[in-house]
Amino acid sequence: MADEAPFQFLHSEVIEYIYKSADSGEVENGRNITKLENMGLRVGQGLIERLTKDTARFKDELDIMKFICKDFWTCVFKKQIDNLRTNHQGIYVLQDNKFRLLSHLSAGKQYLEHAPKYLAFTCGLVRGALSNLGVKSIVTAEVSVMPACKFQVMIQKS
Amino acid sequence: MADEAPFQFLHSEVIEYIYKSADSGEVENGRNITKLENMGLRVGQGLIERLTKDTARFKDELDIMKFICKDFWTCVFKKQIDNLRTNHQGIYVLQDNKFRLLSHLSAGKQYLEHAPKYLAFTCGLVRGALSNLGVKSIVTAEVSVMPACKFQVMIQKS
């Protein structure tokens, strides 16, 4: 039994709940995505606070990103990010070849359009975690072949 | 880092979200409790299905209850139920001396009134798990001293 199952099932129910209680349509879909993203944001903030309680200070931004890819990802998804790339100018791409919150969807192309609602929470999760570590960012996600998934993090210099 | 943290934080956010998006008042509070209970129901159904995939058939009702107290509880809350009692006439009392979804609340009496909303999801969870195993039940919860908690399961004979 996978340890992350209770979290996965609850995550699916939350999406179901939010989409069922709202009207359909483009505008509403956008609002629902925002709701999920905000929920992820707060969960990410809470989690990272607990996770870094006894951690040494991070050296730099890359050090923080590595922590997100390893410790943070493992805590939530019971696996690490498979690949981390950066242009060394504030853009990071985190690739998960078997993203857990997509793995229950069929890999068929016809489900690709549903992917965004399964990614919004996690985009918020990453943004929330980073924000609590003092890093402001914009996080987006894209899927080309399910259940592989890329999260792009754009650091916002202030 | 406790493994159940992502689930806990998400659970808290769900309560927050449901209560924030509804009006306040007695009636609304009842509706929110029902929403949480229904969400738990579906999560419980999904989880038990996955958990019992490779399990031998259960001998009887008590055997099922023991599975809920051990395997199922451990899967969700990373601990077992501390005490299981029954009157052998269809009533079971499951006691958790340190219920995880209450442990972030202060133990003070003033928070006791908030306990129901932190228990509704789990009541549904147990009811959903049992229903998928063919056992119809009514599940209620009570707290006397936080974070200890008792779940009462009344089996509905058909």
mmCIF file of all heavy atoms in Angstrom, chain B residues 69-101:
data_model
loop_
_atom_site.group_PDB
_atom_site.id
_atom_site.type_symbol
_atom_site.label_atom_id
_atom_site.label_comp_id
_atom_site.label_asym_id
_atom_site.label_seq_id
_atom_site.Cartn_x
_atom_site.Cartn_y
_atom_site.Cartn_z
ATOM 1 N N CYS B 69 -9.154 -0.951 12.486
ATOM 2 C CA CYS B 69 -8.363 -0.422 13.611
ATOM 3 C C CYS B 69 -6.860 -0.517 13.373
ATOM 4 O O CYS B 69 -6.101 0.311 13.879
ATOM 5 C CB CYS B 69 -8.694 -1.165 14.900
ATOM 6 S SG CYS B 69 -10.367 -0.866 15.473
ATOM 7 N N LYS B 70 -6.442 -1.536 12.654
ATOM 8 C CA LYS B 70 -5.006 -1.721 12.447
ATOM 9 C C LYS B 70 -4.553 -1.198 11.084
ATOM 10 O O LYS B 70 -3.971 -0.131 10.980
ATOM 11 C CB LYS B 70 -4.632 -3.201 12.585
ATOM 12 C CG LYS B 70 -4.704 -3.676 14.028
ATOM 13 C CD LYS B 70 -4.182 -5.104 14.156
ATOM 14 C CE LYS B 70 -4.411 -5.610 15.584
ATOM 15 N NZ LYS B 70 -4.118 -7.037 15.709
ATOM 16 N N ASP B 71 -4.828 -1.946 10.051
ATOM 17 C CA ASP B 71 -4.295 -1.623 8.720
ATOM 18 C C ASP B 71 -4.812 -0.293 8.184
ATOM 19 O O ASP B 71 -4.050 0.552 7.723
ATOM 20 C CB ASP B 71 -4.632 -2.741 7.731
ATOM 21 C CG ASP B 71 -4.089 -4.077 8.198
ATOM 22 O OD1 ASP B 71 -4.624 -4.597 9.200
ATOM 23 O OD2 ASP B 71 -3.137 -4.585 7.598
ATOM 24 N N PHE B 72 -6.127 -0.136 8.265
ATOM 25 C CA PHE B 72 -6.729 1.062 7.694
ATOM 26 C C PHE B 72 -6.279 2.309 8.458
ATOM 27 O O PHE B 72 -5.872 3.306 7.859
ATOM 28 C CB PHE B 72 -8.257 0.925 7.733
ATOM 29 C CG PHE B 72 -9.000 2.040 7.061
ATOM 30 C CD1 PHE B 72 -9.071 2.113 5.684
ATOM 31 C CD2 PHE B 72 -9.646 3.027 7.801
ATOM 32 C CE1 PHE B 72 -9.767 3.136 5.049
ATOM 33 C CE2 PHE B 72 -10.339 4.055 7.183
ATOM 34 C CZ PHE B 72 -10.399 4.108 5.803
ATOM 35 N N TRP B 73 -6.317 2.228 9.784
ATOM 36 C CA TRP B 73 -5.942 3.390 10.598
ATOM 37 C C TRP B 73 -4.467 3.739 10.380
ATOM 38 O O TRP B 73 -4.092 4.905 10.279
ATOM 39 C CB TRP B 73 -6.230 3.115 12.081
ATOM 40 C CG TRP B 73 -6.719 4.336 12.809
ATOM 41 C CD1 TRP B 73 -5.997 5.135 13.667
ATOM 42 C CD2 TRP B 73 -8.045 4.900 12.749
ATOM 43 N NE1 TRP B 73 -6.791 6.149 14.139
ATOM 44 C CE2 TRP B 73 -8.051 6.036 13.592
ATOM 45 C CE3 TRP B 73 -9.206 4.563 12.071
ATOM 46 C CZ2 TRP B 73 -9.186 6.836 13.767
ATOM 47 C CZ3 TRP B 73 -10.341 5.341 12.232
ATOM 48 C CH2 TRP B 73 -10.323 6.462 13.064
ATOM 49 N N THR B 74 -3.646 2.724 10.308
ATOM 50 C CA THR B 74 -2.212 2.942 10.110
ATOM 51 C C THR B 74 -1.943 3.591 8.757
ATOM 52 O O THR B 74 -1.088 4.469 8.639
ATOM 53 C CB THR B 74 -1.447 1.605 10.205
ATOM 54 O OG1 THR B 74 -1.738 1.025 11.473
ATOM 55 C CG2 THR B 74 0.057 1.823 10.080
ATOM 56 N N CYS B 75 -2.701 3.161 7.751
ATOM 57 C CA CYS B 75 -2.521 3.737 6.422
ATOM 58 C C CYS B 75 -2.804 5.235 6.439
ATOM 59 O O CYS B 75 -2.062 6.028 5.861
ATOM 60 C CB CYS B 75 -3.442 3.024 5.428
ATOM 61 S SG CYS B 75 -3.579 3.855 3.848
ATOM 62 N N VAL B 76 -3.853 5.639 7.126
ATOM 63 C CA VAL B 76 -4.241 7.051 7.108
ATOM 64 C C VAL B 76 -3.518 7.866 8.180
ATOM 65 O O VAL B 76 -3.040 8.956 7.919
ATOM 66 C CB VAL B 76 -5.773 7.214 7.285
ATOM 67 C CG1 VAL B 76 -6.174 8.674 7.150
ATOM 68 C CG2 VAL B 76 -6.520 6.359 6.282
ATOM 69 N N PHE B 77 -3.437 7.306 9.381
ATOM 70 C CA PHE B 77 -2.958 8.109 10.510
ATOM 71 C C PHE B 77 -1.610 7.661 11.069
ATOM 72 O O PHE B 77 -1.139 8.206 12.063
ATOM 73 C CB PHE B 77 -4.011 8.113 11.624
ATOM 74 C CG PHE B 77 -5.351 8.628 11.172
ATOM 75 C CD1 PHE B 77 -6.458 7.791 11.103
ATOM 76 C CD2 PHE B 77 -5.501 9.959 10.795
ATOM 77 C CE1 PHE B 77 -7.695 8.262 10.681
ATOM 78 C CE2 PHE B 77 -6.728 10.442 10.377
ATOM 79 C CZ PHE B 77 -7.830 9.590 10.308
ATOM 80 N N LYS B 78 -1.001 6.670 10.437
ATOM 81 C CA LYS B 78 0.332 6.187 10.841
ATOM 82 C C LYS B 78 0.381 5.704 12.285
ATOM 83 O O LYS B 78 1.426 5.744 12.932
ATOM 84 C CB LYS B 78 1.410 7.271 10.614
ATOM 85 C CG LYS B 78 1.384 7.940 9.248
ATOM 86 C CD LYS B 78 1.490 6.986 8.097
ATOM 87 C CE LYS B 78 1.021 7.657 6.809
ATOM 88 N NZ LYS B 78 0.730 6.725 5.732
ATOM 89 N N LYS B 79 -0.724 5.306 12.806
ATOM 90 C CA LYS B 79 -0.787 4.660 14.113
ATOM 91 C C LYS B 79 -2.050 3.798 14.141
ATOM 92 O O LYS B 79 -2.950 3.997 13.322
ATOM 93 C CB LYS B 79 -0.793 5.680 15.250
ATOM 94 C CG LYS B 79 -2.107 6.453 15.400
ATOM 95 C CD LYS B 79 -2.043 7.491 16.502
ATOM 96 C CE LYS B 79 -2.104 6.911 17.904
ATOM 97 N NZ LYS B 79 -3.378 6.263 18.259
ATOM 98 N N GLN B 80 -2.080 2.865 15.103
ATOM 99 C CA GLN B 80 -3.289 2.059 15.231
ATOM 100 C C GLN B 80 -4.273 2.699 16.201
ATOM 101 O O GLN B 80 -3.911 3.564 16.986
ATOM 102 C CB GLN B 80 -2.932 0.674 15.767
ATOM 103 C CG GLN B 80 -2.025 -0.113 14.866
ATOM 104 C CD GLN B 80 -1.793 -1.521 15.372
ATOM 105 O OE1 GLN B 80 -2.469 -1.996 16.282
ATOM 106 N NE2 GLN B 80 -0.824 -2.201 14.787
ATOM 107 N N ILE B 81 -5.501 2.228 16.145
ATOM 108 C CA ILE B 81 -6.483 2.570 17.176
ATOM 109 C C ILE B 81 -5.961 1.990 18.493
ATOM 110 O O ILE B 81 -5.441 0.868 18.514
ATOM 111 C CB ILE B 81 -7.863 1.961 16.803
ATOM 112 C CG1 ILE B 81 -8.550 2.840 15.774
ATOM 113 C CG2 ILE B 81 -8.747 1.754 18.023
ATOM 114 C CD1 ILE B 81 -9.104 4.153 16.305
ATOM 115 N N ASP B 82 -6.072 2.749 19.583
ATOM 116 C CA ASP B 82 -5.490 2.277 20.840
ATOM 117 C C ASP B 82 -6.370 1.255 21.554
ATOM 118 O O ASP B 82 -5.876 0.409 22.285
ATOM 119 C CB ASP B 82 -5.224 3.468 21.760
ATOM 120 C CG ASP B 82 -4.170 4.391 21.152
ATOM 121 O OD1 ASP B 82 -3.026 3.932 21.010
ATOM 122 O OD2 ASP B 82 -4.504 5.527 20.795
ATOM 123 N N ASN B 83 -7.670 1.389 21.340
ATOM 124 C CA ASN B 83 -8.563 0.486 22.057
ATOM 125 C C ASN B 83 -9.840 0.243 21.264
ATOM 126 O O ASN B 83 -10.454 1.185 20.784
ATOM 127 C CB ASN B 83 -8.885 1.112 23.428
ATOM 128 C CG ASN B 83 -9.612 0.144 24.334
ATOM 129 O OD1 ASN B 83 -10.825 0.016 24.252
ATOM 130 N ND2 ASN B 83 -8.888 -0.563 25.171
ATOM 131 N N LEU B 84 -10.200 -1.023 21.139
ATOM 132 C CA LEU B 84 -11.444 -1.377 20.452
ATOM 133 C C LEU B 84 -12.336 -2.132 21.425
ATOM 134 O O LEU B 84 -11.924 -3.130 22.010
ATOM 135 C CB LEU B 84 -11.146 -2.271 19.235
ATOM 136 C CG LEU B 84 -12.359 -2.954 18.582
ATOM 137 C CD1 LEU B 84 -13.304 -1.932 17.967
ATOM 138 C CD2 LEU B 84 -11.919 -3.972 17.530
ATOM 139 N N ARG B 85 -13.538 -1.622 21.620
ATOM 140 C CA ARG B 85 -14.477 -2.328 22.483
ATOM 141 C C ARG B 85 -15.762 -2.607 21.710
ATOM 142 O O ARG B 85 -16.079 -1.890 20.767
ATOM 143 C CB ARG B 85 -14.812 -1.485 23.724
ATOM 144 C CG ARG B 85 -13.722 -1.573 24.794
ATOM 145 C CD ARG B 85 -14.085 -0.754 26.002
ATOM 146 N NE ARG B 85 -14.281 0.641 25.650
ATOM 147 C CZ ARG B 85 -15.257 1.413 26.136
ATOM 148 N NH1 ARG B 85 -16.151 0.906 26.979
ATOM 149 N NH2 ARG B 85 -15.348 2.675 25.780
ATOM 150 N N THR B 86 -16.459 -3.654 22.112
ATOM 151 C CA THR B 86 -17.738 -3.950 21.461
ATOM 152 C C THR B 86 -18.697 -4.560 22.473
ATOM 153 O O THR B 86 -18.266 -5.199 23.451
ATOM 154 C CB THR B 86 -17.570 -4.926 20.270
ATOM 155 O OG1 THR B 86 -18.861 -5.230 19.742
ATOM 156 C CG2 THR B 86 -16.867 -6.212 20.689
ATOM 157 N N ASN B 87 -19.975 -4.332 22.274
ATOM 158 C CA ASN B 87 -20.991 -4.977 23.121
ATOM 159 C C ASN B 87 -21.458 -6.292 22.487
ATOM 160 O O ASN B 87 -22.403 -6.897 22.960
ATOM 161 C CB ASN B 87 -22.173 -4.033 23.371
ATOM 162 C CG ASN B 87 -22.973 -3.788 22.097
ATOM 163 O OD1 ASN B 87 -22.555 -4.178 21.005
ATOM 164 N ND2 ASN B 87 -24.103 -3.123 22.230
ATOM 165 N N HIS B 88 -20.788 -6.681 21.399
ATOM 166 C CA HIS B 88 -21.135 -7.893 20.649
ATOM 167 C C HIS B 88 -22.553 -7.858 20.100
ATOM 168 O O HIS B 88 -23.121 -8.885 19.800
ATOM 169 C CB HIS B 88 -20.910 -9.152 21.500
ATOM 170 C CG HIS B 88 -19.471 -9.329 21.882
ATOM 171 N ND1 HIS B 88 -18.510 -9.736 20.989
ATOM 172 C CD2 HIS B 88 -18.825 -9.099 23.041
ATOM 173 C CE1 HIS B 88 -17.335 -9.766 21.592
ATOM 174 N NE2 HIS B 88 -17.494 -9.387 22.840
ATOM 175 N N GLN B 89 -23.132 -6.685 20.045
ATOM 176 C CA GLN B 89 -24.477 -6.560 19.465
ATOM 177 C C GLN B 89 -24.502 -5.453 18.424
ATOM 178 O O GLN B 89 -25.481 -4.739 18.276
ATOM 179 C CB GLN B 89 -25.504 -6.283 20.562
ATOM 180 C CG GLN B 89 -25.652 -7.446 21.514
ATOM 181 C CD GLN B 89 -26.733 -7.202 22.561
ATOM 182 O OE1 GLN B 89 -27.429 -6.193 22.540
ATOM 183 N NE2 GLN B 89 -26.867 -8.147 23.472
ATOM 184 N N GLY B 90 -23.369 -5.300 17.772
ATOM 185 C CA GLY B 90 -23.332 -4.344 16.664
ATOM 186 C C GLY B 90 -22.853 -2.951 17.013
ATOM 187 O O GLY B 90 -22.890 -2.052 16.189
ATOM 188 N N ILE B 91 -22.391 -2.757 18.241
ATOM 189 C CA ILE B 91 -21.812 -1.456 18.572
ATOM 190 C C ILE B 91 -20.326 -1.626 18.881
ATOM 191 O O ILE B 91 -19.936 -2.496 19.665
ATOM 192 C CB ILE B 91 -22.531 -0.787 19.766
ATOM 193 C CG1 ILE B 91 -23.968 -0.429 19.355
ATOM 194 C CG2 ILE B 91 -21.784 0.470 20.214
ATOM 195 C CD1 ILE B 91 -24.740 0.332 20.409
ATOM 196 N N TYR B 92 -19.528 -0.795 18.221
ATOM 197 C CA TYR B 92 -18.075 -0.832 18.415
ATOM 198 C C TYR B 92 -17.604 0.557 18.798
ATOM 199 O O TYR B 92 -18.088 1.540 18.245
ATOM 200 C CB TYR B 92 -17.372 -1.256 17.126
ATOM 201 C CG TYR B 92 -17.710 -2.654 16.698
ATOM 202 C CD1 TYR B 92 -18.848 -2.910 15.946
ATOM 203 C CD2 TYR B 92 -16.898 -3.728 17.064
ATOM 204 C CE1 TYR B 92 -19.188 -4.203 15.565
ATOM 205 C CE2 TYR B 92 -17.224 -5.017 16.678
ATOM 206 C CZ TYR B 92 -18.365 -5.248 15.935
ATOM 207 O OH TYR B 92 -18.688 -6.532 15.563
ATOM 208 N N VAL B 93 -16.688 0.617 19.740
ATOM 209 C CA VAL B 93 -16.114 1.905 20.104
ATOM 210 C C VAL B 93 -14.617 1.850 19.841
ATOM 211 O O VAL B 93 -13.899 1.016 20.395
ATOM 212 C CB VAL B 93 -16.388 2.271 21.575
ATOM 213 C CG1 VAL B 93 -15.711 3.586 21.927
ATOM 214 C CG2 VAL B 93 -17.884 2.372 21.817
ATOM 215 N N LEU B 94 -14.159 2.741 18.966
ATOM 216 C CA LEU B 94 -12.750 2.792 18.587
ATOM 217 C C LEU B 94 -12.131 4.009 19.266
ATOM 218 O O LEU B 94 -12.548 5.136 18.999
ATOM 219 C CB LEU B 94 -12.600 2.948 17.071
ATOM 220 C CG LEU B 94 -12.928 1.763 16.158
ATOM 221 C CD1 LEU B 94 -14.401 1.387 16.228
ATOM 222 C CD2 LEU B 94 -12.541 2.080 14.724
ATOM 223 N N GLN B 95 -11.180 3.774 20.119
ATOM 224 C CA GLN B 95 -10.581 4.903 20.821
ATOM 225 C C GLN B 95 -9.166 5.190 20.325
ATOM 226 O O GLN B 95 -8.320 4.308 20.265
ATOM 227 C CB GLN B 95 -10.561 4.635 22.327
ATOM 228 C CG GLN B 95 -9.970 5.825 23.091
ATOM 229 C CD GLN B 95 -10.227 5.749 24.572
ATOM 230 O OE1 GLN B 95 -11.226 5.137 25.017
ATOM 231 N NE2 GLN B 95 -9.352 6.352 25.364
ATOM 232 N N ASP B 96 -8.953 6.429 19.968
ATOM 233 C CA ASP B 96 -7.620 6.874 19.557
ATOM 234 C C ASP B 96 -7.159 7.895 20.582
ATOM 235 O O ASP B 96 -7.754 8.965 20.720
ATOM 236 C CB ASP B 96 -7.692 7.499 18.156
ATOM 237 C CG ASP B 96 -6.309 7.801 17.582
ATOM 238 O OD1 ASP B 96 -5.375 8.066 18.390
ATOM 239 O OD2 ASP B 96 -6.149 7.775 16.349
ATOM 240 N N ASN B 97 -6.125 7.543 21.323
ATOM 241 C CA ASN B 97 -5.688 8.432 22.414
ATOM 242 C C ASN B 97 -4.944 9.669 21.940
ATOM 243 O O ASN B 97 -4.746 10.618 22.692
ATOM 244 C CB ASN B 97 -4.789 7.664 23.387
ATOM 245 C CG ASN B 97 -5.563 6.589 24.116
ATOM 246 O OD1 ASN B 97 -6.771 6.729 24.329
ATOM 247 N ND2 ASN B 97 -4.882 5.506 24.473
ATOM 248 N N LYS B 98 -4.491 9.607 20.696
ATOM 249 C CA LYS B 98 -3.826 10.799 20.164
ATOM 250 C C LYS B 98 -4.215 10.931 18.703
ATOM 251 O O LYS B 98 -3.430 10.618 17.813
ATOM 252 C CB LYS B 98 -2.305 10.669 20.330
ATOM 253 C CG LYS B 98 -1.644 12.020 20.345
ATOM 254 C CD LYS B 98 -0.148 11.977 20.456
ATOM 255 C CE LYS B 98 0.379 13.384 20.205
ATOM 256 N NZ LYS B 98 1.697 13.421 19.646
ATOM 257 N N PHE B 99 -5.421 11.391 18.510
ATOM 258 C CA PHE B 99 -5.960 11.461 17.159
ATOM 259 C C PHE B 99 -5.265 12.572 16.373
ATOM 260 O O PHE B 99 -5.272 13.741 16.774
ATOM 261 C CB PHE B 99 -7.468 11.686 17.219
ATOM 262 C CG PHE B 99 -8.119 11.669 15.868
ATOM 263 C CD1 PHE B 99 -7.932 10.608 14.995
ATOM 264 C CD2 PHE B 99 -8.923 12.721 15.459
ATOM 265 C CE1 PHE B 99 -8.531 10.598 13.743
ATOM 266 C CE2 PHE B 99 -9.529 12.718 14.218
ATOM 267 C CZ PHE B 99 -9.329 11.661 13.352
ATOM 268 N N ARG B 100 -4.663 12.176 15.254
ATOM 269 C CA ARG B 100 -3.794 13.082 14.511
ATOM 270 C C ARG B 100 -4.465 14.356 14.004
ATOM 271 O O ARG B 100 -3.837 15.403 13.905
ATOM 272 C CB ARG B 100 -3.181 12.337 13.313
ATOM 273 C CG ARG B 100 -2.144 11.315 13.715
ATOM 274 C CD ARG B 100 -0.884 11.966 14.243
ATOM 275 N NE ARG B 100 -0.165 11.073 15.131
ATOM 276 C CZ ARG B 100 0.750 10.183 14.748
ATOM 277 N NH1 ARG B 100 1.065 10.072 13.495
ATOM 278 N NH2 ARG B 100 1.362 9.422 15.628
ATOM 279 N N LEU B 101 -5.743 14.249 13.661
ATOM 280 C CA LEU B 101 -6.407 15.415 13.076
ATOM 281 C C LEU B 101 -6.881 16.388 14.154
ATOM 282 O O LEU B 101 -7.442 17.437 13.861
ATOM 283 C CB LEU B 101 -7.563 14.986 12.175
ATOM 284 C CG LEU B 101 -7.150 14.113 10.975
ATOM 285 C CD1 LEU B 101 -8.364 13.749 10.141
ATOM 286 C CD2 LEU B 101 -6.116 14.822 10.104
#
